[in-house]
Amino acid sequence: MPANVNHGWVGRVGASYAVAVSWLPLAAGEAPGWLAEVAGLVVGAAVVAYLAFRAGLVPIVGFLLAGVLIGPHQLGIIADRELVDAAAEIGVILLLFTIGLEFSLDRLLRIRRVIFLAGGLQVVLATGLSAAVLTAAGVESRTAVYTGLLVSLSSTAIVLKLLADRSQTNARHGQVALGILLFQDLAVVVMVLLVPALGGDAGSPGEFAGALAKAALIIAAVLIIARRLMPRLLEVVARTCSPEVFLLAVVAVCFGTAYGTSLAGVSVSLGAFLAGLLVSESRFDQQALGEILPLQIVFSALFFVSIGMLLDLGFLVDNLPAVVGAILAVLVVKAVTTGVAARALGEPVAVAAAAALLLAQVGEFSFVLERAGADAGLSPAGLGGDGSQGFLAAAVLLLIATPWLAQGGVRLGGRMKAAPAPRAPSGTEPEEGTGVAEGLDGHVVIAGYGRVARLLAGALLRGGVPHVVTTLSPDGAAEAQRRGLRVLLGDSSRTRTMEEAGIRRARFVVIADDEPEMAARIAGVARALNPEAKVVVRTRYHSDTGDLKAAGATYVVSDETEGTARLSEKLLTHYDVALDQVEQYLVTLRAPAAAHAAETQPRPRFTRTVVDTESVIDPDFDRDACVHVADTRAVVPSAPGCEECLRDGTDWVHLRLCMECGHVGCCDSSPNRHARRHWEESGHAIIRSAEPGETWGHCFPDDLRLEPVRTPA
């Protein structure tokens, strides 16, 4: 046998050895050649995006500016365009996939009139008006139509981000803008098929019709799979309750569908959108969106950076009058056509004006079409490279100006005194909230649906306390739904899942069955999204308390501590130990920092007077002394001492009682001033001294001492 022939495992071992040797220089400290490009790209994008955010701009504008700055036409930090283009293509695929995830057939039907009437009218009018103007200027008709398609689209990413940040998604102009954007996103599918035909690649109308028919068949097949196969497949994957496996499965569906449609002759953009639609028709759409969103954000950022890199500031300066003219032309076309489309729905002039300026930019998918047109031999207005640069300059500047245009549109709409609009036709009403936490405020979010969470959810259900359950387990979700609970399938440690559960409006977050590491992650996310919410964590061992509180937990309930407390209480009361001594011991035992003291000292750590938690204390202050006295009521003290000091293992000087909820806190002379903190957090203004023999009260907002009403003899 010749020595240089590789066979079986010998060959594989030799090949592996060769690969390992080839990577030794990298392991020794030599960086790969592409790392400098990637580092410059990511660091530049992060720094400029941060500066843009500090300046009050949306992140996408920062990404565009970062691309302009580090691109080959300016600083030239990035020289490998192929690397950036590859990342940008992934960004486009993930962007379309997430848009498909947020679609659903039911959602389309609910606002069908806004989408298909206003959206269809706007796209047709914008394309036709642009093409007519260019044709009159001598531009060839196919090129004029292609340019009109570029102009007709608006930026879904920027507009939806602005609406969400300003809480205007459900406003009238926000709903009109949303409907038009949805139609534009759907129209991109047809436009991607139409561009090669406009460039002459399709050959004949018959071939173009064949391409559309093929796309229609693919869409039909996808819809059938979406209804029949995909929910079952995702059900099997979700039963693993593994975020990593689920993420890989979702990414596989995205890229697998995109690649499969490309083999059938349809664009990868259409395939990515259809993949998102596949997943959206299952009950795991929000979980998939939460898992895929971080990837989409990263690669979409690279997409916008790559767009900014195409802009040549030198060209912009040399051709400033032409670029300004193009910007004004696009503004007029988009504002007029969007306003007409909104008025066709019966919307008032004020709403039409606000929506018109909100959608007056050129969208991110226009750049996708521009690249597709370049491959087909087309250019904006038929001007070749100058046309592409002029279009890019106008589009980038309009995207940057969008926040100010949107604000100006709202102000303009507010100043218009139009007659009240007639009732919108059927199908134009704002979309009803479909979120699991829709209509809830001050509710409880239960993270996970294990044994303890099931018992807790049952207690809340019987007590009429509003709550939402989040779980990764399909079986657990099905059981909770059968019990009539509000359930969200998703990873509780993901920001998207918590936001869908209404974390920003929640009063409590309960983490009852997770391991300490996962509980800490969930607590950190909950604390970041809603600093006012109380995060309650149940853990097995007392030693986990410190780490969980450091992660963001407000209260930590330890099985070890509570079990010992209940057992001790049973035994001590059985042997006729005085109840006040039992209570003192339990207070000491439950105080995290006093656990060791309970073992080494014969007396409890807290030696100051405690409050009788069985007594009812009436507010007997003069009702005319302060407006806040009217909010007081008879209360029962919530704890024998300061709640927070007992929990943290610290001491107090004097005790104060909240006369609205019964909270027991420490005075301003105490180190932590928990009574005042309670007022600052809850707004409960009146406290009463809980010290023996003292009956005076205090109003925090008015800084007023309150004396009890004296009953005449």
Side-chain angles (χ1 to χ4, degrees):
M1 179 184 300
N4 60 348
V5 177
N6 293 330
H7 287 284
W9 67 271
V10 178
R12 288 193 294 271
V13 171
S16 301
Y17 175 77
V19 171
V21 171
S22 67
W23 278 88
L24 282 178
L26 300 182
E30 179 182 340
W34 51 265
L35 184 57
E37 301 281 343
V38 173
L41 181 66
V42 176
V43 172
V47 171
V48 179
Y50 171 77
L51 295 177
F53 175 80
R54 298 296 297 177
L57 304 178
V58 294
I60 293 174
V61 174
F63 299 146
L64 291 168
L65 293 175
V68 172
L69 183 64
I70 67 178
H73 301 293
Q74 278 66 245
L75 298 181
I77 296 176
I78 307 300
D80 189 354
R81 282 288 311 174
E82 293 184 0
L83 178 66
V84 179
D85 288 343
E89 291 295 336
I90 296 176
V92 172
I93 291 174
L94 292 174
L95 184 62
L96 278 164
F97 178 71
T98 53
I99 290 176
L101 275 174
E102 294 176 332
F103 269 88
S104 71
L105 298 178
D106 294 337
R107 183 185 184 191
L108 295 179
L109 290 175
R110 276 195 299 270
I111 56 172
R112 59 191 179 278
R113 191 174 178 85
V114 179
I115 295 174
F116 295 106
L117 177 58
L121 187 59
Q122 185 274 329
V123 170
V124 170
L125 289 177
T127 303
L129 182 58
S130 302
V133 172
L134 291 172
T135 302
V139 178
E140 196 268 332
S141 59
R142 290 189 177 186
T143 302
V145 172
Y146 163 70
T147 307
L149 295 177
L150 298 179
V151 173
S152 67
L153 300 177
S154 301
S155 175
T156 302
I158 288 184
V159 171
L160 293 186
K161 176 67 174 174
L162 285 175
L163 290 175
D165 289 346
R166 299 175 182 180
S167 300
Q168 296 175 350
T169 302
N170 291 321
R172 293 287 292 277
H173 73 282
Q175 286 291 303
V176 172
L178 176 62
I180 293 175
L181 288 170
L182 289 177
F183 183 86
Q184 291 178 358
D185 291 338
L186 287 173
V188 170
V189 173
V190 179
M191 292 179 184
V192 170
L193 294 172
L194 185 60
V195 166
L198 293 174
D201 292 344
S204 68
E207 294 182 7
F208 177 68
L212 284 178
K214 181 188 295 185
L217 289 175
I218 293 175
I219 292 174
V222 167
L223 292 177
I224 293 174
I225 295 174
R227 294 290 188 181
R228 302 292 180 86
L229 179 61
M230 188 54 61
R232 298 178 182 178
L233 175 62
L234 292 179
E235 188 88 24
V236 172
V237 175
R239 288 181 187 278
T240 64
C241 293
S242 170
E244 295 83 0
V245 175
F246 190 85
L247 174 61
L248 287 175
V250 170
V251 172
V253 170
C254 172
F255 285 91
T257 306
Y259 180 68
T261 56
S262 68
L263 294 179
V266 182
S267 69
V268 294
S269 300
L270 172 60
F273 174 80
L274 294 178
L277 192 62
L278 275 173
V279 179
S280 74
E281 290 302 309
S282 71
R283 61 182 181 136
F284 303 99
D285 55 338
Q286 291 301 323
Q287 181 181 353
L289 190 60
E291 296 291 344
I292 203 73
L293 201 56
L295 286 177
Q296 185 262 325
I297 291 172
V298 172
F299 285 100
S300 295
L302 297 181
F303 169 71
F304 287 107
V305 170
S306 70
I307 296 302
M309 290 174 62
L310 299 175
L311 179 61
D312 186 353
L313 291 180
F315 175 88
L316 176 61
V317 173
D318 295 339
N319 300 273
L320 187 59
V323 173
V324 172
I327 291 174
L328 294 177
V330 172
L331 274 175
V332 171
V333 169
K334 297 298 287 293
V336 169
T337 56
T338 303
V340 170
R343 291 291 290 163
L345 289 173
E347 298 292 342
V349 176
V351 173
L357 288 181
L358 181 62
L359 300 179
Q361 74 290 126
V362 175
E364 53 270 7
F365 291 117
S366 296
F367 300 116
V368 178
L369 287 180
E370 195 275 334
R371 291 188 178 185
D375 295 337
L378 296 170
S379 63
L383 298 177
D386 289 343
S388 297
Q389 272 298 321
F391 165 75
L392 286 169
V396 171
L397 292 177
L398 278 172
L399 288 172
I400 294 174
T402 296
W404 293 283
L405 289 173
Q407 187 175 6
V410 173
R411 290 179 178 176
L412 179 62
R415 293 176 182 176
M416 289 185 173
K417 296 180 180 180
R423 189 180 184 275
S426 176
T428 65
E429 293 87 353
E431 179 184 358
E432 296 180 2
T434 57
V436 68
E438 186 70 25
L440 296 184
D441 191 12
H443 58 289
V444 180
V445 176
I446 303 177
Y449 197 61
R451 178 180 57 84
V452 176
R454 284 174 166 83
L455 297 174
L456 174 63
L460 296 180
L461 186 63
R462 288 191 296 272
V465 178
H467 58 284
V468 174
V469 175
T470 65
T471 178
L472 272 173
S473 170
D475 294 334
E479 176 191 329
Q481 287 173 342
R482 287 193 297 269
R483 297 177 64 186
L485 306 179
R486 296 186 183 224
V487 188
L488 178 65
L489 266 170
D491 185 353
S492 303
S493 64
R494 299 284 187 182
T495 299
R496 175 81 186 191
T497 302
M498 280 299 195
E499 288 182 339
E500 287 294 321
I503 179 64
R504 298 186 189 277
R505 305 186 305 277
R507 185 175 300 173
F508 283 92
V509 178
V510 180
I511 310 165
D513 296 286
D514 283 288
E515 293 297 321
E517 294 78 9
M518 177 58 70
R521 289 172 56 188
I522 298 173
V525 171
R527 175 64 58 230
L529 294 176
N530 186 354
E532 303 300 324
K534 307 295 185 185
V535 181
V536 183
V537 182
R538 169 191 161 268
T539 185
R540 186 174 181 183
Y541 299 109
H542 172 77
S543 57
D544 299 325
T545 301
D547 292 339
L548 290 170
K549 285 194 173 183
T554 310
Y555 308 114
V556 179
V557 179
S558 163
D559 288 351
E560 183 181 48
T561 300
E562 290 303 316
T564 304
R566 294 300 300 273
L567 180 61
S568 302
E569 183 181 16
K570 292 287 185 182
L571 291 174
L572 292 174
T573 54
H574 180 77
Y575 282 96
D576 297 328
V577 177
L579 292 179
D580 59 341
Q581 295 183 23
V582 174
E583 184 63 34
Q584 285 283 347
Y585 172 73
L586 296 180
V587 167
T588 303
L589 180 65
R590 287 176 171 132
H596 178 69
E599 299 174 359
T600 58
Q601 298 180 5
R603 293 181 300 171
R605 171 175 177 171
F606 296 104
T607 57
R608 296 189 178 277
T609 305
V610 295
V611 181
D612 181 9
T613 57
E614 300 296 328
S615 61
V616 178
I617 300 180
D618 294 312
D620 55 356
F621 304 120
D622 183 1
R623 295 281 168 171
D624 297 328
C626 171
V627 295
H628 301 96
V629 174
D631 297 328
T632 61
R633 62 183 181 86
V635 297
V636 176
S638 61
C642 174
E643 288 188 21
E644 291 81 1
C645 289
L646 289 172
R647 187 175 64 249
D648 298 336
T650 56
D651 211 338
W652 58 80
V653 178
H654 302 294
L655 295 178
R656 304 291 181 248
L657 177 66
C658 174
M659 295 309 298
E660 291 189 48
C661 68
H663 173 271
V664 179
C666 53
C667 67
D668 284 355
S669 299
S670 302
N672 296 308
R673 308 172 71 180
H674 285 126
R676 180 174 293 273
R677 289 192 184 184
H678 175 70
W679 162 61
E680 294 171 349
E681 294 176 357
S682 66
H684 297 172
I686 305 295
I687 60 169
R688 178 173 175 164
S689 174
E691 294 297 303
E694 295 183 357
T695 57
W696 57 268
H698 181 78
C699 175
F700 281 116
D702 298 332
D703 194 18
L704 177 68
R705 181 182 176 92
L706 303 173
E707 296 296 342
V709 176
R710 304 293 182 184
T711 303

